[in-house]
Amino acid sequence: MVNKVKSFFEKFYLLIILAILYAPIVLIVIYSFSNSANFNFDQGFTFDGYRAIFDSDKSEGLWDAISNTLIIAAIASLFATLMGSFASIGIFNLKKRTRRIVENVNQFPIINSEIVMAVSLMVFFVTFAFPEGYLRLVIAHIAFCTPYVVLSVLPKLEKMDPSIYEAALDLGASPFKATCKVVIPYIAPSIGSGFVMAFIMSMDDFIITQINKGAATGINTLSTYIYSDARVQGLEPFWYPVFSIIFVIVLAAVLVLNLVRTKKDIKANARGKRL
C-alpha cells in the first residue's frame, strides 16, 4: 500500500512539473489558430494568423529578421561547435588540477549575468573598433555559445576508453589522424548535440544581440524584431503561429537527434554483447 501511494505521488509530481513546463507552450499553439492577440476565439478556428506571416504589411520585416536569425545562428553555431569540440579534446588531455581550473573558467559565461556579458562585449568591440553589424553579432554569439558546446562534448570524452586512442597511435597513426579517425567519430553525437544547443541559444538570444547590433545598422533578429514590434502596439496575432512553428521545428530536431543517438547506442551495445 505504501509503495502504491509513493508511486502515485511520484507520478503526480512528474505530471505537475511537465504541466508547468509545457502548458504555456501548448496554449501558444492553441491560440495560434485564433488570429487574435486577446486570447480568445471570437473569429473561430482559423489559419489567418499563419497566412499573415506571408501577406501582412509586416511580413517583409519579419522575414528579414528570420533570415538574419538563421544566418547568424548557423555561422555562430558552426564556429562554436568547431572551437568547442577541439577545446574539449584539449581540456580533456590536461592534468587534473589544470583541467578543473579551465572547466570552471569555461562556465563563467554560462553562470554570468547575460547583461554583464552583453555590456562587456560592447566595451570590447568599441575598444578595438570592430565595425557595427553582422561581424559583432557573429563574434558575440560565438563567444557565449562555445561554452555550451564544451559542456556537451566533455562528458562523452570522459566515457571514452583511452586505450582506443593509444591503440591507434601504436598502429602508426599520428596524434592528429588518431583524433580525426578515433576520437571525433566517438564524440560525434555529442558534437551534434552541442551544435543544436548552440543554434538554439543563438536563436533565442535577445540582450546580447540588442546591445551589440548597433542602432544605425537596422539589423534585427527575431527576438529584437519582436521587441521593437510589441512595444509599439503589442503582439500581432501572427506572432503566435511564428512561435508555434519555431517550437515544432526545434522539437522535431531534438527528437531526431535523440533517436539517432539511441539507435547508435543500441547498435554499439549489440556489438559489445556479440564480442
Side-chain angles (χ1 to χ4, degrees):
M1 182 68 181
V2 175
N3 290 333
K4 289 183 178 180
V5 173
K6 183 180 178 182
S7 177
F8 169 79
F9 279 106
E10 286 176 350
K11 293 178 181 178
F12 182 70
Y13 175 76
L14 180 60
L15 287 174
I16 291 175
I17 297 300
L18 291 175
I20 292 173
L21 290 174
Y22 291 102
I25 299 175
V26 172
L27 286 175
I28 286 291
V29 175
I30 292 173
Y31 283 116
S32 70
F33 297 100
S34 69
N35 195 33
S36 171
N38 298 320
F39 306 105
N40 58 59
F41 279 87
D42 291 342
Q43 302 179 44
F45 186 92
T46 176
F47 287 93
D48 289 346
Y50 286 87
R51 283 193 286 267
I53 297 174
F54 302 95
D55 57 21
S56 72
D57 56 348
K58 296 183 179 180
S59 293
E60 184 178 354
L62 172 62
W63 284 104
D64 284 343
I66 291 174
S67 62
N68 288 335
T69 302
L70 295 177
I71 291 170
I72 294 170
I75 297 173
S77 55
L78 177 62
F79 278 95
T81 302
L82 290 172
M83 293 169 60
S85 299
F86 283 104
S88 299
I89 295 172
I91 294 170
F92 178 72
N93 288 287
L94 293 173
K95 293 181 180 179
K96 286 187 178 180
R97 181 177 296 180
T98 308
R99 178 179 168 183
R100 287 178 183 174
I101 295 172
V102 176
E103 286 179 349
N104 289 331
V105 171
N106 175 73
Q107 294 181 25
F108 285 164
I110 297 174
I111 63 177
N112 195 13
S113 173
E114 192 172 3
I115 186 64
V116 175
M117 183 80 172
V119 173
S120 62
L121 284 167
M122 180 188 68
V123 172
F124 172 78
F125 292 141
V126 172
T127 302
F128 293 97
F130 281 82
E132 291 185 342
Y134 290 104
L135 180 63
R136 287 190 183 188
L137 291 178
V138 169
I139 294 174
H141 282 229
I142 291 172
F144 74 79
C145 286
T146 301
Y148 290 95
V149 178
V150 174
L151 287 180
S152 176
V153 176
L154 265 179
K156 186 68 174 178
L157 282 169
E158 292 172 353
K159 295 180 180 179
M160 186 181 73
D161 185 355
S163 62
I164 301 174
Y165 175 77
E166 294 170 1
L169 296 178
D170 292 339
L171 292 172
S174 65
F176 179 76
K177 189 172 183 179
T179 300
C180 294
K181 294 290 186 178
V182 176
V183 178
I184 292 180
Y186 181 83
I187 63 175
S190 295
I191 293 175
S193 298
F195 176 84
V196 172
M197 187 181 299
F199 192 90
I200 293 172
M201 293 298 298
S202 177
M203 283 187 62
D204 186 57
D205 177 72
F206 169 71
I207 296 176
I208 294 175
T209 303
Q210 178 71 12
I211 290 179
N212 289 282
K213 69 187 182 70
T217 60
I219 297 174
N220 268 316
T221 60
L222 198 55
S223 58
T224 61
Y225 185 71
I226 292 170
Y227 171 74
S228 61
D229 182 57
R231 69 176 181 173
V232 176
Q233 56 184 19
L235 288 176
E236 295 284 345
F238 66 75
W239 281 118
Y240 303 124
V242 171
F243 301 151
S244 302
I245 292 170
I246 292 173
F247 169 71
V248 170
I249 292 174
V250 171
L251 179 63
V254 172
L255 289 176
V256 169
L257 191 65
N258 286 332
L259 285 173
V260 171
R261 180 186 294 181
T262 302
K263 287 183 179 179
K264 286 185 177 180
D265 290 341
I266 292 173
K267 289 181 180 179
N269 292 333
R271 289 197 202 101
K273 290 180 180 179
R274 285 198 297 268
L275 295 174

